Amino acid sequence: RLLVVDDEMAIRDALAELLGTLGWSVRTAGDIHEALMCLSPQWQPEALVLDYRLRDEVTGLDALAALRAQGCMAPAWVITGET
């Protein structure tokens, strides 16, 4: 189980498709609120992929902190398309 958090829908969809072909059960979220809504007792991610730059000055590190505060301790990769 893998959770992808990225504010760009095309990136979320592409990552979900790629990771799904590799055998991951993928859920996606566009922001922190959506990411937290993905968590449930029946579905906890085993890994996280977080875009560094989200909307409204929010970062993937902010999303990671919110997920950690809800007990999600999955390993995380923070990615960015910035140079």
Side-chain angles (χ1 to χ4, degrees):
R1 293 176 304 272
L2 188 136
L3 176 60
V4 174
V5 182
D6 195 303
D7 60 328
E8 297 292 333
M9 184 181 290
I11 302 296
R12 287 194 311 266
D13 291 347
L15 281 171
E17 185 174 335
L18 171 66
L19 296 165
T21 64
L22 297 173
W24 290 94
S25 169
V26 181
R27 290 190 181 180
T28 64
D31 58 29
I32 292 174
H33 175 74
E34 288 180 13
L36 294 174
M37 296 300 293
C38 287
L39 303 179
S40 75
Q42 295 78 28
W43 197 91
Q44 288 290 314
E46 297 171 289
L48 307 167
V49 176
L50 310 160
D51 182 25
Y52 181 74
R53 295 250 182 239
L54 301 171
R55 296 197 195 287
D56 302 323
E57 308 276 329
V58 176
T59 70
L61 297 177
D62 298 324
L64 181 60
L67 290 162
R68 293 284 190 253
Q70 292 300 310
C72 177
M73 296 299 149
W77 290 269
V78 178
I79 60 173
T80 187
E82 292 194 28
T83 56

